[in-house]
Amino acid sequence: MSELIKKITLHDIHESLGAKMIPFAGFYMPVRYHSDIAEHLAVRENVGVFDVSHMGEFFIKGPNALDLIQKVTSNDASKLSIGQAQYSCLPNETGGIVDDLLVYKLDETSYMLVVNASNISKDWDWIQKHNTMGAIMEDGSDDYSLFAVQGPKATEALQPLTSIPLADLPFYHFQTAQFAGSEEVILSATGYTGAGGFELYVKNKDAHKVWQAIFETGKHLGIQPIGLGARDTLRLEMGYCLYGNDITEETSPIEAGLGWITKFTKDFINHEALKKQKLEGVKRKLVGFILSEKGIPRSGYSILNSDADPVGVVTSGSLSPSMGTGIGMGYIDMAYSKPGTPVEIEVRKKRIKATVKKFPLLTK
């Protein structure tokens, strides 16, 4: 099986930095360099760099590009201006989600879709299947590296490397510019941590140079490489969905609290069924919770009411490094979904008290 697992461009650099490399979504990825907790706190309090080059990049071009994107995605891409990005999802035909993704408007007739690594082939086939309008599709996934520079000091760390005034780049906007002497780097004010920062789309040929430049200019700030372990706890504190856990082919965007990216001002795949669901309501909802006793919730654990009846299931859970307590998210019957509702999580046959909480779970 190992020959089927790909190496990202900077694989050797991560090994030299002491990273523990694990197979993840078809790639060897750095899960941690030293400690998940230390890396998590470095991003929350300072600045860190994730190599997330396993993500997929599709380019949709031509006069019919927008028509295709509008058909396959739930959000309204017609609202995008050039230089703006949008969070969206690909609904399937049975009420679930093929994937969640970002849509970037590069110019009037070209877009970049950024998809999850584990779904690259599935998403490509899905979009291609619905490309009845003849939009031009290009898979650039093997051509790009992606670095997420996250944390309150991200702007300070990156600014010496570009003439773009990064502090003036609005959230979910981007510019294509020269960066660290490399041409056409996409600098995007996005991320998956809630700590602020940027994501940099870099051609593979420039990946080493850009990575080294970031660490050189950020050295005085204590910049650190960060693994996927901390990425997971950072996104969980914010209540950001992870595909395969919190959203799947069986979970609807309405149940997942993604009604805000599901726009019924246009036609898209399965929009009628989802519209009906939004109007009539759903039986379960994705919620966050915080434990009030010692314990760590994990995916698959039961959520119980005060009578010990199962009323839901945990989809993601961990110890919050920022708060020092167990946190998680999961689907729960609507009757128990209101913030402040007491519930219990069955952790190794022990019932641990918890409280349903509105996202983000992180309390300052």
Side-chain angles (χ1 to χ4, degrees):
M1 287 294 289
S2 61
E3 68 270 18
L4 301 176
I5 301 172
K6 296 180 181 179
K7 289 184 178 181
I8 55 176
T9 300
L10 300 189
H11 180 97
D12 293 348
I13 283 183
H14 299 304
E15 283 195 330
S16 73
L17 291 170
K20 180 181 179 182
M21 306 295 287
I22 64 163
F24 179 83
F27 295 80
Y28 286 111
M29 296 298 294
V31 66
R32 74 184 54 84
Y33 297 83
H34 301 291
S35 147
D36 289 345
I37 292 176
E39 290 172 29
H40 177 112
L41 296 175
V43 174
R44 279 275 175 258
E45 299 165 4
N46 194 31
V47 59
V49 187
F50 303 84
D51 186 342
V52 284
S53 300
H54 60 322
M55 299 291 281
E57 294 86 15
F58 302 158
F59 294 90
I60 313 294
K61 303 177 180 179
N64 299 317
L66 179 60
D67 291 340
L68 174 58
I69 291 167
Q70 290 289 72
K71 181 178 179 181
V72 298
T73 66
S74 63
N75 211 335
D76 189 352
S78 71
K79 302 295 186 186
L80 287 172
S81 55
I82 294 170
Q84 190 175 11
Q86 180 185 76
Y87 182 52
S88 192
C89 77
L90 302 171
N92 64 22
E93 287 157 341
T94 55
I97 299 170
V98 177
D99 201 5
D100 62 335
L101 73 162
L102 292 182
V103 179
Y104 287 77
K105 185 169 184 177
L106 303 174
D107 61 43
E108 284 301 342
T109 58
S110 61
Y111 298 79
M112 178 173 73
L113 310 185
V114 182
V115 303
N116 285 300
S118 57
N119 292 334
I120 291 172
S121 295
K122 180 180 78 164
D123 291 357
W124 178 265
D125 292 345
W126 179 260
I127 297 168
Q128 194 171 53
K129 170 185 167 184
H130 293 283
N131 185 18
T132 56
M133 61 288 294
I136 300 162
M137 293 176 58
E138 296 173 4
D139 185 357
S141 303
D142 291 337
D143 302 326
Y144 282 84
S145 290
L146 174 56
F147 306 140
V149 184
Q150 299 282 291
K153 294 183 181 176
T155 300
E156 189 179 349
L158 297 180
Q159 190 58 74
L161 298 171
T162 183
S163 60
I164 297 294
L166 295 175
D168 296 338
L169 195 60
F171 193 44
Y172 267 74
H173 285 69
F174 68 94
Q175 283 197 40
T176 304
Q178 189 180 78
F179 182 87
S182 300
E183 302 294 332
E184 295 190 353
V185 173
I186 297 173
L187 303 165
S188 177
T190 48
Y192 193 48
T193 65
F198 303 88
E199 293 180 305
L200 282 63
Y201 297 86
V202 183
K203 292 284 182 67
N204 285 338
K205 65 182 178 64
D206 296 323
H208 284 84
K209 179 169 71 172
V210 169
W211 177 272
Q212 287 164 350
I214 291 169
F215 278 88
E216 190 59 40
T217 60
K219 197 180 203 174
H220 71 290
L221 298 171
I223 197 167
Q224 294 181 39
I226 312 293
L228 294 182
R231 184 172 165 86
D232 190 50
T233 52
L234 287 157
R235 69 93 192 168
L236 182 55
E237 287 183 346
M238 300 309 296
Y240 295 156
C241 292
L242 173 65
Y243 193 87
N245 284 48
D246 314 303
I247 50 176
T248 68
E249 295 274 0
E250 284 75 47
T251 60
S252 92
I254 309 302
E255 293 175 328
L258 298 177
W260 63 279
I261 64 164
T262 310
K263 303 294 170 61
F264 299 109
T265 51
K266 60 160 200 168
D267 291 344
F268 60 88
I269 292 166
N270 206 37
H271 78 280
E272 287 294 347
L274 292 176
K275 187 176 183 179
K276 184 181 179 189
Q277 198 177 72
K278 187 164 188 178
L279 290 170
E280 295 180 356
V282 291
K283 294 179 180 177
R284 62 175 190 162
K285 182 182 177 183
L286 185 65
V287 300
F289 60 84
I290 297 181
L291 301 191
S292 47
E293 300 177 299
K294 192 174 180 181
I296 301 176
R298 298 294 185 195
S299 177
Y301 286 6
S302 292
I303 304 174
L304 314 173
N305 64 14
S306 56
D307 295 324
D309 299 321
V311 293
V313 64
V314 176
T315 53
S316 290
S318 183
L319 180 75
S320 162
S322 301
M323 298 184 289
T325 190
I327 62 170
M329 50 204 293
Y331 285 91
I332 196 168
D333 295 351
M334 284 301 292
Y336 301 92
S337 65
K338 188 177 178 182
T341 302
V343 292
E344 295 176 345
I345 312 299
E346 192 172 37
V347 179
R348 295 177 181 172
K349 298 186 179 178
K350 186 180 176 185
R351 290 160 55 187
I352 306 290
K353 289 185 174 12
T355 305
V356 173
K357 189 180 182 299
K358 188 179 176 183
F359 295 124
L361 299 176
L362 180 63
T363 51
K364 302 294 183 185

